[in-house]
Amino acid sequence: MRFRPVVSRVSSIEYRGRALASGSPFLRVMIAGANFLATVVRLLNSSGMPLLVACLTVRKQVHRPLLVSMKKLTIQLALLFLALASFSQLGAAQFVPASPPIADPADTRFEGVKEDWTTPALKTSNLKPAQPLVAYINDYPGYTVELLQVQWRFGDPLDLYVMKPKGIKKPPVILYLYGYPAGTDRFKNEGFQNAVTKDGFAAVGFVSALTGHRYHDRPMREWFISELQECLATSAHDVQMVLDYLATRGDLDTTRVGMFTQGSGASIGILTSAVDPRIKVLDALDPWGLWPTWMEASPFVPEDERAEYVKPDFLKKAAVLDPVEWLPKVQAKKFRLQDAIFEPNTPKAAKEKLRASVPAGATVVIYKTPEEFNGVVRGKTELEWVQQQLRSLPDLYSSSANIRSTSPKD
């Protein structure tokens, strides 16, 4: 059995959850039961009246030793439901408490913000970047890691990891965006941090919309696939807003920006590169796309929800952000599409269409077996292509600095 990673939120003893792929009726029933019991507790708390269980009478005489406070019982039962749910975490199953609601109704910083979900371009949207908040700056022997919180729309703060090599003034930058449901764990991993900075490159990592810490203040039925148009558009906008922020820092060479992407992150990278020429090098591994085929045949789509995603209205909204249509418009000077043909989430027909849609001059790499792809991973060469291509580009920052330093004084 496969599960969609469950994203839930704790409110007292209330949980929300969602099952992966084919779904888990057992888990959903337990979650519904926990929610029901939590509701009973809240009603009892609001009324102040303990409810006696059945009253357990014999000839209308109450057996007082058997009277139980319903408040205590419901809490115990709810905790039992949740304990059972935790034991259901078999294989890829997860039941992860998410953060409490963070969208503050009193936050007026983003009044007037408008966002156009029909295009990856920002020109028809009006996002307002707030002052970034710095959580920490960690110092390691060869690099530093800075965690910031950036935000430009209501109720959607974004954790941004900026990893910089030491001893290099204004290093080129590579953005890392992995597919749903990947979170930020890899950006906290010292092995990853060292690998992406050891050759003189800065690395910037974040996650897409409704993913990881960005999933909150939503009803259980809404997730990345059900809100596909929103997630693709807002995430493409996020990439551009991140680039805007990085350009203001003054410690990075934003004339040489690369992007490594995977899965739905690769779809977002394609959309962004089609409208923003600042991404000079784009590496897209196993992008999702050709939405009618993908929704109809991908095993990633839960069977109990698939009918909703093949309806004309849903597909019409998704069609304006189909990577197949935007691939020929990619503006990156160097573009590579990597296709692990054994990877099941994207149907074969969609993979073929994506490969056929790459722009002229692009590189297409096909991995026929898991062993072939794993060999690349074990050799730690999967990230080298972006770095090599960025090195081949003119260093505009150094060139302009040299021109300034050699210009005659007045």
Side-chain angles (χ1 to χ4, degrees), residues 92-360:
Q94 299 182 44
F95 196 79
V96 184
S99 60
I102 62 174
D104 182 4
D107 186 357
T108 60
R109 293 175 298 166
F110 305 100
E111 288 184 352
V113 164
K114 297 180 180 179
E115 193 161 14
D116 184 357
W117 293 349
T118 65
T119 175
L122 273 175
K123 60 184 180 181
T124 53
S125 296
N126 176 34
L127 301 179
K128 295 181 179 180
Q131 182 68 27
L133 302 176
V134 179
Y136 62 71
I137 301 178
N138 288 345
D139 189 271
Y140 296 92
Y143 61 91
T144 60
V145 178
E146 183 176 359
L147 172 60
L148 306 102
Q149 186 182 86
V150 294
Q151 188 172 354
W152 30 78
R153 66 177 68 86
F154 176 75
D156 189 21
L158 173 65
D159 288 353
L160 191 68
Y161 291 80
V162 179
M163 296 154 268
K164 289 173 49 185
K166 290 183 176 179
I168 299 179
K169 187 177 181 179
K170 301 194 76 168
V173 187
I174 300 176
L175 309 182
Y176 292 86
L177 183 59
Y178 292 85
Y180 176 88
T184 58
D185 285 353
R186 76 181 71 238
F187 306 135
K188 306 169 190 175
N189 181 279
E190 292 184 23
F192 177 85
Q193 295 165 357
N194 182 67
V196 296
T197 57
K198 66 182 178 65
D199 293 319
F201 294 87
V204 176
F206 52 98
V207 300
S208 56
L210 296 190
T211 303
H213 66 275
R214 298 182 68 183
Y215 187 88
H216 51 83
D217 299 283
R218 295 279 185 148
M220 185 179 69
R221 64 182 178 274
E222 295 182 7
W223 62 297
F224 191 94
I225 299 299
S226 71
E227 312 306 310
L228 184 65
Q229 182 188 25
E230 173 191 350
C231 290
L232 293 174
T234 57
S235 298
H237 297 163
D238 291 336
V239 176
Q240 296 165 80
M241 296 298 290
V242 166
L243 290 175
D244 288 349
Y245 161 69
L246 296 178
T248 68
R249 289 174 57 101
D251 60 348
L252 301 170
D253 182 3
T254 53
T255 68
R256 289 187 294 166
V257 175
M259 191 170 183
F260 179 87
T261 59
Q262 175 268 332
S264 59
S267 303
I268 294 162
I270 290 167
L271 295 172
T272 309
S273 180
V275 297
D276 195 328
R278 289 179 293 179
I279 300 173
K280 299 298 192 298
V281 179
L282 176 62
D283 198 356
L285 171 62
D286 293 328
W288 299 357
L290 195 63
W291 298 129
T293 300
W294 203 93
M295 293 300 167
E296 182 179 0
S298 173
F300 195 85
V301 177
E303 288 301 331
D304 61 346
E305 298 179 19
R306 192 182 300 277
E308 292 297 318
Y309 307 146
V310 296
K311 289 182 177 179
D313 287 347
F314 181 90
L315 293 176
K316 181 179 179 180
K317 293 178 180 179
V320 297
L321 297 171
D322 196 327
V324 167
E325 301 299 325
W326 291 90
L327 263 170
K329 304 174 185 178
V330 164
Q331 299 184 58
K333 294 182 180 297
K334 303 288 184 177
F335 173 58
R336 179 172 75 160
L337 175 68
Q338 299 186 77
D339 185 4
I341 60 175
F342 55 86
E343 185 275 326
N345 285 338
T346 298
K348 179 181 177 181
K351 285 178 173 288
E352 292 173 349
K353 185 64 175 178
L354 286 161
R355 292 198 303 266
S357 301
V358 299

Side-chain angles (χ1 to χ4, degrees), residues 73-89:
L73 180 60
T74 52
I75 292 174
Q76 291 173 338
L77 289 174
L79 292 176
L80 176 61
F81 273 121
L82 298 178
L84 289 172
S86 67
F87 287 120
S88 71
Q89 299 178 17

Side-chain angles (χ1 to χ4, degrees), residues 12-14 35-51 70-71 74-75:
S12 180
I13 60 171
E14 184 174 5
N35 286 337
F36 169 75
L37 292 170
T39 302
V40 172
V41 171
R42 286 196 296 271
L43 291 173
L44 290 172
N45 285 338
S46 63
S47 66
M49 297 177 59
L51 181 63
M70 190 59 176
K71 286 186 180 180
T74 52
I75 292 174

Side-chain angles (χ1 to χ4, degrees), residues 2-6 18-21 28 94 180 223 300 302 305:
R2 301 181 57 204
F3 295 88
R4 181 163 68 247
V6 172
R18 174 173 284 282
L20 173 62
R28 291 186 178 185
Q94 299 182 44
Y180 176 88
W223 62 297
F300 195 85
E305 298 179 19

